[in-house]
């Protein structure tokens, strides 16, 4: 199987090249030339398999240039009981009659990013061995909070790699910040930027395609890659868990094989929900894809009107990992919906870069609305969703998951569609204690994040993840903070180190 670039359909690379390189030279994203098909028989065969077996069955269809031994090594190194506190890697929790929360946060950093970022370092080093054997891979990451830590955890001390993470100084939770600034590993570095996630992301994207820096890298025997969801190696592991969850629901007798389910995803960069859409295109019986946003509702507006307009106020919310106005992976969706017309993509994303705005054609808007439903929820709605999910079902969800729960409820109310639904649960509530606690108690909330965690444990009876509690005794290693303009210097400094 080959991969094309969304901005140059004539560009054709292998999976290994796509993953090692991260982003295409002209700034486009790599997409599979054709999507592999999962037949009813394929799905039937997966019923009863372990998560790792399901992962291999899906990944082998995309990574056709990986040998069986390579894929076994990558998958089994990523998903195991040393890294995940669930034998099934992800868990399903039923709430109410027709909703299933797909818990994707049982990995080392307690957010769904681990599902892809535990695997990515293995995919990337295997890919680099095939395509650029003598190079050191320099991974730059822009994070809205969870990607940074998950990437650090995945890449720390991985030979032939180096990593620099940029996070928005005032845009992450206390626990998220501590997770990153205490990270160990000789090959990793972390830096705050004075700006928001979009600033970090555009800064990193610009550095990636800067010819001067690229020449400098080549001189040092280094090459850039990306651990953000612009990298195909981030998306493909996410397709796996939708297939795994669906077949698990069949195993548990909750659905019949072939029965349609909807999927709701709390969305920021559009990576997670795009993976569900790809799973649908492959043949997984998915009905509506419900895209849940917080107050930064650029995607809700886009799905409803066909106009994407980032010229609006940016809000800092209680679901910081979704505080994003430029959702990178939308480019992959639109490439698919417009019949793989790279010139249209260049035009729309050129307009986005220049004017911050573009409108898709009527036919693309209609296709978009046939597949997706968009809704949003502010901080108050988030808090009330946490409150009533806890009160009614005894289930404690984090702020991001709560956005999805609220939007799913709005969807059912507005459309009357009671199809069973998988709701992506993307983080442990312990990552966002300061926002979760006020939703379930009137007691005064302590300011120390570890006292908050103790309080949450007392009120919920849910055990806090050990990896978060350990942060209390870890020394802070990274305290730098730079402006957007200084990001280049920071990268150059790291390359020399
Ligand atoms: C990253 C993240 C999201 C958004 O996922 P995208 O793939 O960027 O749309 C949602 N919730 C949490 C907890 C996250 O870390």
């Amino acid at each position: 199987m080959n991969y094309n670039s969304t901005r140059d359909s004539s560009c054709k690379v292998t999976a290994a090249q796509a993953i090692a390189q991260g982003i295409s030279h002209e700034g486009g994203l790599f997409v599979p030339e054709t999507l592999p098909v999962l037949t009813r028989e394929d799905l039937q065969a997966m019923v009863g398999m372990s998560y790792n077996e399901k992962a291999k069955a899906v990944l082998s269809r995309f990574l056709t240039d990986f040998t069986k031994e390579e894929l076994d090594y990558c998958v089994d190194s990523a998903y195991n009981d040393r890294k995940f506190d669930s034998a099934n890697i992800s868990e399903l929790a039923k709430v109410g009659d027709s909703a299933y929360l797909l818990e994707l946060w049982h990995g080392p950093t307690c957010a769904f990013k681990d599902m892809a970022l535990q695997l990515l370092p293995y995919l990337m080093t295997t890919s680099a061995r095939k395509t650029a054997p003598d190079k050191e891979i320099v991974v730059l990451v822009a994070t809205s909070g969870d990607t940074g830590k998950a990437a650090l955890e995945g890449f720390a001390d991985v030979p032939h790699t180096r990593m620099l993470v940029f996070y928005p100084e005032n845009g992450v939770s206390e626990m998220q910040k501590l997770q990153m600034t205490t990270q160990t590993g000789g090959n990793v570095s972390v830096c705050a930027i004075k700006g928001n996630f979009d600033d970090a992301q555009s800064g990193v994207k610009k550095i990636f395609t800067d010819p001067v820096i690229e020449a400098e890298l080549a001189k040092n025997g280094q090459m850039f890659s990306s651990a953000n969801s612009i990298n195909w190696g981030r998306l493909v592991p996410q397709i796996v868990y939708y297939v795994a969850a669906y077949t698990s629901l069949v195993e548990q007798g909750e659905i019949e094989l072939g029965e349609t389910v909807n999927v709701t995803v709390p969305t920021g960069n559009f990576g997670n929900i795009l993976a569900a859409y790809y799973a649908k295109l492959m043949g997984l019986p998915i009905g509506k894809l419900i895209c849940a946003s917080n107050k930064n509702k650029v995607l809700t507006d886009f799905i409803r009107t066909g106009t994407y307009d980032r010229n609006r106020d940016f809000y800092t919310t209680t679901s910081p990992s979704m505080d994003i106005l430029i959702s990178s992976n939308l480019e992959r969706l639109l490439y698919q919906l417009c019949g793989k017309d790279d010139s249209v993509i260049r035009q729309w994303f050129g307009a986005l870069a220049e004017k911050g705005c573009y409108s898709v054609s009527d036919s693309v808007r209609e296709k978009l609305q046939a597949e997706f439903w968009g809704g949003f929820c502010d901080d108050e709605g988030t808090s009330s969703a946490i409150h009533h999910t806890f009160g009614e079902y005894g289930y404690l969800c984090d702020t991001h998951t709560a956005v999805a729960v609220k939007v799913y409820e709005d969807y059912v109310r507005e459309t009357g569609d009671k199809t069973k639904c998988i709701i992506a649960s993307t983080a442990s509530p312990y990552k966002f204690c300061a926002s979760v606690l006020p939703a379930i108690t009137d007691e005064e909330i302590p300011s120390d994040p570890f006292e908050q965690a103790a309080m949450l444990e007392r009120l919920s009876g849910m055990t806090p993840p050990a990896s978060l509690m350990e942060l209390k005794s870890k020394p802070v290693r990274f305290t730098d903070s730079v402006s957007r303009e200084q990001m280049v210097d920071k990268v150059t400094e790291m390359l020399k180190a």
Side-chain angles (χ1 to χ4, degrees), residues 110-113 144-147 176 229 234-235 238 241 265-274 299 319 321-322 324 327 329 398 400-401 425-428 431-432:
C110 313
F112 90 93
K113 303 294 197 292
S144 56
D146 289 325
T147 299
Q176 287 178 311
S229 53
R234 271 286 299 279
L235 278 179
Q238 299 188 282
Y241 53 70
V265 184
T267 297
N269 225 353
F270 210 77
N272 200 357
I273 195 166
L274 181 71
L299 287 168
S319 44
S321 301
M322 293 153 65
I324 292 175
S327 297
N329 278 297
D398 95 294
H400 304 75
T401 308
S425 173
T426 50
S428 158
K431 284 193 101 163
F432 304 97

Side-chain angles (χ1 to χ4, degrees), residues 161-404:
T161 69
R162 230 181 245 228
M163 166 167 282
L164 178 56
V165 172
F166 290 105
Y167 71 93
E169 186 159 46
N170 299 315
V172 302
S173 82
E174 199 55 37
M175 210 55 109
Q176 287 178 311
K177 189 173 192 163
L178 274 176
Q179 280 188 304
M180 290 187 277
T181 56
T182 59
Q183 178 67 43
T184 56
N187 62 335
V188 300
S189 193
V190 176
C191 182
I193 71 152
K194 297 180 175 61
N196 60 35
F197 170 73
D198 291 313
D199 297 324
Q201 176 160 262
S202 351
V204 162
K205 255 186 143 177
K206 218 157 102 198
I207 295 170
F208 271 137
T209 44
D210 183 327
V212 178
I213 299 186
E214 207 171 328
E216 180 73 17
L217 281 174
K219 220 172 61 199
N220 300 344
Q222 296 169 317
M223 66 182 273
F224 273 142
S225 192
S226 168
N228 280 103
S229 53
I230 53 177
N231 193 319
W232 178 249
R234 271 286 299 279
L235 278 179
V236 67
Q238 299 188 282
I239 298 172
V240 171
Y241 53 70
Y242 289 107
V243 177
Y246 184 90
T247 47
S248 292
L249 287 175
V250 176
E251 284 156 24
Q252 295 167 16
E254 295 289 343
I255 58 169
E256 304 280 340
L257 187 72
E259 184 175 340
T260 297
V261 297
N262 291 339
V263 171
T264 305
V265 184
T267 297
N269 225 353
F270 210 77
N272 200 357
I273 195 166
L274 181 71
Y277 173 65
Y278 280 140
K280 176 175 181 175
L281 291 182
M282 290 170 72
L284 195 69
I286 292 177
K288 211 70 174 181
L289 293 147
I290 301 159
C291 175
S293 301
N294 64 24
K295 199 176 175 188
N296 295 296
K297 61 178 184 66
V298 64
L299 287 168
T300 312
D301 294 342
F302 176 62
I303 292 168
R304 293 187 181 177
T305 65
T307 294
Y308 193 98
D309 189 356
R310 65 150 304 194
N311 301 305
R312 58 177 73 211
D313 290 335
F314 176 90
Y315 299 104
T316 301
T317 73
T318 56
S319 44
S321 301
M322 293 153 65
D323 290 347
I324 292 175
L325 291 180
I326 304 175
S327 297
S328 302
N329 278 297
L330 207 52
E331 181 165 338
R332 287 189 164 109
L333 173 70
L334 295 178
Y335 182 73
Q336 186 74 32
L337 293 182
C338 75
K340 307 192 168 181
D341 184 342
D342 54 358
S343 67
V344 169
I345 295 297
R346 284 197 300 273
Q347 188 190 323
W348 290 341
F349 286 83
L352 179 67
E354 275 162 37
K355 298 182 297 188
C357 178
Y358 63 90
S359 296
V360 299
S361 61
D362 288 345
S363 78
V364 166
R365 180 177 44 77
E366 282 157 20
K367 282 188 213 161
L368 176 73
Q369 290 170 343
E371 302 281 358
F372 291 84
W373 191 88
F376 74 102
C377 153
D378 61 11
D379 284 354
E380 211 173 307
T382 306
S383 186
S384 81
I386 295 172
H387 179 85
H388 85 248
T389 314
F390 186 61
E392 276 169 49
Y393 309 112
Y395 188 88
L396 186 66
C397 59
D398 95 294
T399 46
H400 304 75
T401 308
V403 169

Side-chain angles (χ1 to χ4, degrees), residues 59 66 69-79 118-119 121-126 129:
L59 293 171
F66 281 51
E69 290 68 31
E70 284 170 339
L71 206 55
D72 286 349
Y73 162 73
C74 291
V75 170
D76 295 331
S77 306
Y79 305 121
Q118 280 300 313
L119 184 61
Y122 296 101
L123 296 182
M124 201 182 273
T125 48
T126 305
R129 241 191 336 268

